[in-house]
Amino acid sequence: MRAISVIEVRELFEVAYGHSLELSRLTPDPAGVNFVSRTAKHNGVVIKVKTLNGVIPLEAGTISVAAGGSVMASFLQPEPYYTAFHVFCLKPRFVMSDAQKLYYCACLWANRYRFNYGRQANRTLGSLLIPDTSEIPHWANNANTTMYNGRDAPLVQNTPPNLDTTSWHWFVLEDLFEIKKGKRLTSRNRSNGTTPYIGAIEANNGIADYIGQDAIHAGGTISVSYNGSVAEAFYQPHPFWATDDVNVLYPRFAITPEIALFICAVIRQEKYRFNYGRKWHLERMRATMIRLPANKTGTPDWPMMTEYIRRLPFSSCLALN
């Protein structure tokens, strides 16, 4: 496997310490300035506060990084902001797109295993190694960042309806889906391209690579790993190639992205049933039963599933197309 080119954080970004303000001494103001703390939620923003005389907010378009608390929680800040203690500001040393900045947020987050409550990132953030700009993948460079600009979404979202599973029914997977196998493709035979290559992994929507081969499976389907990261299920909106460690579920009903995401969550609950010695192979998957919301006629309650997903916090930010 090719070794990727890496570079220190300080070579791509100006690394500056934040304001170190205490929230208890600030005045809340709904029309004020975002206050970013060491939380991993809500883009790091806990409240808006009144502007302070003589204290200049950090620039919009920079990245906030928590050095303590939720260490390495990294967010692109679309508006000027103040910070709490132990929050850094990373300003690109050259022009970067929002998609590229978000990619580097993910890279920074991936380093959180290096730190804990007793080992913060204050001294080492600038020297952390992250991929060079030449290594930014195609999907990151071309990500659609217009879905959410960080300005209009309130900090508190509508809560989804309660899930009362007592009325749910059992359904055989093969009755709901035609299930097909993926196909083996060795790394030697792959070429570079734009076709998503779905592997038995638990991240990146299952996309392990982009290849030059034509897709072998249609979009609007669900990929499920039966080996490797067993039972990891992802909605695939676009045509793709799936490795032979992945089965592909073709719906026998009119599926929508929301319904697919709901079913993916249910399928992941089957993970505990399988392991290295008991794989979720094709025939076993076809016979598997899952529980889903059902209406009075005993058929799956698709509208309920759609409504549940749409009312999840920040569901409007999901890439459903």
Side-chain angles (χ1 to χ4, degrees):
M1 183 177 292
R2 181 181 69 87
I4 67 170
S5 176
V6 294
I7 193 171
E8 289 189 352
V9 168
R10 63 168 64 97
E11 296 182 69
L12 292 180
F13 299 92
E14 296 176 17
V15 182
Y17 204 69
H19 297 101
S20 297
L21 298 174
E22 293 186 32
L23 182 56
S24 61
R25 298 185 178 184
L26 302 177
T27 303
D29 181 357
V33 178
N34 286 342
F35 182 78
V36 175
S37 75
R38 300 180 301 278
T39 180
K41 299 179 180 179
H42 306 311
N43 217 61
V45 180
V46 293
I47 198 172
K48 286 181 176 286
V49 298
K50 189 175 181 179
T51 303
L52 296 173
N53 291 330
V55 181
I56 301 175
L58 295 170
E59 293 182 42
T62 56
I63 294 173
S64 65
V65 183
S70 296
V71 184
M72 299 307 295
S74 307
F75 300 103
L76 172 59
Q77 298 297 338
E79 297 179 351
Y81 59 103
Y82 292 137
T83 74
F85 288 95
H86 305 305
V87 177
F88 282 88
C89 170
L90 271 55
K91 181 179 179 180
R93 293 188 180 275
F94 50 84
V95 176
M96 282 188 190
S97 68
D98 284 351
Q100 291 171 329
K101 294 174 189 175
L102 290 169
Y103 170 75
Y104 280 118
C105 284
C107 293
L108 292 164
W109 272 78
N111 280 278
R112 65 187 180 276
Y113 74 93
R114 301 176 184 275
F115 307 97
N116 53 43
Y117 183 79
R119 185 172 186 266
Q120 300 185 354
N122 298 57
R123 297 182 179 181
T124 55
L125 177 59
S127 61
L128 285 177
L129 295 176
I130 55 178
D132 197 354
T133 53
S134 61
E135 300 288 351
I136 299 177
H138 171 82
W139 58 264
N141 270 318
N142 294 278
N144 179 8
T145 60
T146 63
M147 293 177 296
Y148 172 62
N149 61 19
R151 296 177 175 84
D152 301 323
L155 296 181
V156 179
Q157 297 279 310
N158 291 332
T159 56
N162 291 327
L163 281 179
D164 180 4
T165 62
T166 57
S167 62
W168 290 23
H169 289 192
W170 289 100
F171 297 92
V172 179
L173 268 181
E174 191 174 28
D175 291 342
L176 299 175
F177 298 92
E178 180 183 1
I179 306 177
K180 302 180 181 181
K181 280 185 61 64
K183 184 177 180 180
R184 181 176 174 79
L185 181 65
T186 64
S187 56
R188 177 181 298 178
N189 292 327
R190 292 181 215 163
S191 59
N192 294 326
T194 59
T195 300
Y197 179 73
I198 308 302
I201 61 176
E202 61 183 11
N204 300 329
N205 213 60
I207 300 174
D209 199 358
Y210 283 89
I211 61 175
Q213 282 78 1
D214 292 334
I216 60 173
H217 290 288
T221 54
I222 294 174
S223 64
V224 183
S225 303
Y226 75 86
N227 196 13
S229 295
V230 181
E232 286 297 331
F234 299 102
Y235 173 63
Q236 302 298 340
H238 306 296
F240 61 97
W241 185 298
T243 178
D244 56 346
D245 287 327
V246 173
N247 291 332
V248 182
L249 278 54
Y250 284 73
R252 302 184 189 274
F253 55 93
I255 200 168
T256 65
E258 293 89 347
I259 292 170
L261 291 174
F262 190 100
I263 293 175
C264 285
V266 172
I267 289 174
R268 290 191 190 102
Q269 301 307 306
E270 300 300 311
K271 182 183 289 287
Y272 74 96
R273 300 179 185 274
F274 307 98
N275 52 43
Y276 184 80
R278 187 173 189 269
K279 302 185 190 302
W280 205 4
H281 57 65
L282 189 64
E283 293 307 316
R284 186 171 283 158
M285 189 175 292
R286 285 171 173 164
T288 295
M289 300 181 72
I290 60 173
R291 291 186 74 204
L292 293 173
N295 54 34
K296 294 181 180 179
T297 64
T299 57
D301 192 345
W302 307 125
M304 179 271 168
M305 299 182 213
T306 299
E307 177 66 13
Y308 184 85
I309 294 297
R310 287 180 177 175
R311 289 181 59 183
L312 287 174
F314 302 103
S315 61
S316 61
C317 307
L318 293 171
L320 298 180
N321 297 316

